[in-house]
Amino acid sequence: MSVATLTCTGVPRPLGRVHPHTCDAHRATCATPTVATHRCRVLAHHAVNARYRYLRLQANAPIALTTHPGQFYQLKCPVTDSDAPFLLRPMSVYGTGPEPDTIEFLYNVTGVGTRALATLPEGATLDIVGPLGNTFTLDTQWQRVMLVARGVGLATMAPLVQRAAAAGLKLTVVMSARSEADLMREEFLRSPEALALADVHCVFDTDGSSAVEALEPRIRALLDATPHDAVYTCGSHRLLMLLQRVLRAHPQITAEVAMEQRMACGMGVCLSCVRLFDRDGDKQFLRVCREGPVFPIRDVVGEVDFG
């Protein structure tokens, strides 16, 4: 496993593995970013639907040039009259650019930090720290990839969709949501190129099509019908476990998951985001923030027995 090093306030920090299948230009770019604190101005902030909000920031540096699909930032949420977040909140990058100093986030209001974040008006300032974490593998010579997303997990993979579409890769997209009102198809695909290249399959809790017993044979059929080079997921433990089972029949497919985990420091110091992984029979506890958040799907240990 190759390890790139980046520096944050003078402390060397591994970025994560440099994927062997990633194109050379992208691998070289990913190997040299620097973590920093950025003072940002809120350019846009509004509700997308009843559950999710969109945030666009202008930073004090060209962070769009050093931020890659799968990475995240730590956001310093404001203190309000009713909420006083103490820790920074980790948030996956939803998009960057087209200006070199702009970055986007898509988030669900679920607790103290995101409730406070939701009060930020346009023109306000917000401090963010990053970029943090490693990136997805993507070989621009591949033909087709599958993305399986649920809920806000789509925000993590949205930049990957754009990179794949820009390379002309065909996309099989499986989108899962509680209801049709929660589905964000346009927000996930975003560009005309992605919309044109994507074969989209939408499943919902409301009609039972998102249930494992209904979705698993559907994904099996999609992979059996058309060759895929890679499968990606984020946002659902049950989808991760489903894909582990399905991919046993497709050992040649590259398979990755962007892990969602509660974090405190986001720098690998506090160990609050440790998960168990199995790398060729070697059981290891790894930090999602530092060794991840992107891991091979097949390495994730679903259930841990401490007995």
Side-chain angles (χ1 to χ4, degrees):
M1 179 178 70
S2 300
V3 177
T5 300
L6 55 83
T7 303
C8 177
T9 60
V11 181
R13 177 186 186 276
L15 173 65
R17 67 186 180 282
V18 177
H19 299 292
H21 302 296
T22 306
C23 68
D24 291 339
H26 179 56
R27 181 165 62 247
T29 303
C30 290
T32 56
T34 300
V35 173
T37 298
H38 300 282
R39 175 63 54 88
C40 301
R41 182 170 66 91
V42 179
L43 297 178
H45 194 192
H46 57 79
V48 175
N49 56 30
R51 292 172 56 81
Y52 300 103
R53 296 186 63 84
Y54 168 82
L55 176 65
R56 181 177 177 83
L57 304 174
Q58 182 179 43
N60 57 1
I63 59 176
L65 305 179
T66 56
T67 303
H68 303 284
Q71 293 186 301
F72 68 97
Y73 280 75
Q74 291 275 81
L75 278 61
K76 185 177 181 180
C77 301
V79 174
T80 69
D81 292 339
S82 56
D83 294 304
F86 177 67
L87 297 171
L88 278 66
R89 295 305 194 267
M91 195 167 291
S92 299
V93 176
Y94 173 57
T96 56
E99 299 82 4
D101 58 353
T102 56
I103 189 167
E104 301 168 300
F105 299 95
L106 188 70
Y107 67 97
N108 186 10
V109 180
T110 57
V112 172
T114 48
R115 279 202 309 268
L117 184 65
T119 67
L120 274 180
E122 293 183 6
T125 58
L126 177 68
D127 289 340
I128 66 174
V129 181
L132 300 165
N134 62 357
T135 71
F136 291 104
T137 300
L138 183 68
D139 189 330
T140 56
Q141 300 304 308
W142 286 342
Q143 298 299 311
R144 178 179 286 273
V145 299
M146 174 181 285
L147 301 103
V148 184
R150 179 173 172 86
V152 80
L154 68 85
T156 305
M157 293 193 292
L160 179 63
V161 169
Q162 298 309 306
R163 181 157 288 173
L169 275 64
K170 294 186 175 72
L171 310 170
T172 301
V173 177
V174 180
M175 298 187 67
S176 175
R178 294 185 181 184
S179 67
E180 193 167 352
D182 289 333
L183 191 74
M184 294 181 284
R185 172 175 171 156
E186 286 71 25
E187 286 79 8
F188 187 41
L189 299 176
R190 305 193 77 179
S191 70
E193 294 81 7
L195 286 164
L197 292 165
D199 174 26
V200 183
H201 302 261
C202 302
V203 296
F204 306 101
D205 296 356
T206 49
D207 62 9
S209 59
S210 67
V212 170
E213 56 270 21
L215 186 56
E216 186 165 333
R218 189 168 182 175
I219 291 179
R220 287 185 187 275
L222 289 169
L223 291 176
D224 289 342
T226 308
H228 287 73
D229 297 291
V231 174
Y232 309 95
T233 191
C234 177
S236 170
H237 182 73
R238 68 177 181 176
L239 288 180
L240 169 61
M241 296 296 100
L242 182 160
L243 289 173
Q244 280 193 337
R245 294 191 298 272
V246 169
L247 288 166
R248 289 172 190 154
H250 301 276
Q252 79 284 0
I253 294 178
T254 297
E256 293 182 334
V257 55
M259 302 291 291
E260 292 187 343
Q261 192 76 5
R262 291 187 180 274
M263 300 177 187
C265 72
M267 299 284 183
V269 177
C270 70
L271 305 181
S272 67
C273 64
V274 167
R275 288 286 301 265
L276 182 62
F277 296 85
D278 186 338
R279 294 185 164 178
D280 299 322
D282 181 15
K283 297 288 182 66
Q284 302 177 18
F285 283 101
L286 302 175
R287 296 158 296 185
V288 171
C289 72
R290 185 141 177 171
E291 283 78 47
V294 178
F295 295 94
I297 286 176
R298 297 177 179 91
D299 289 359
V300 181
V301 176
E303 303 295 335
V304 182
D305 181 5
F306 291 102

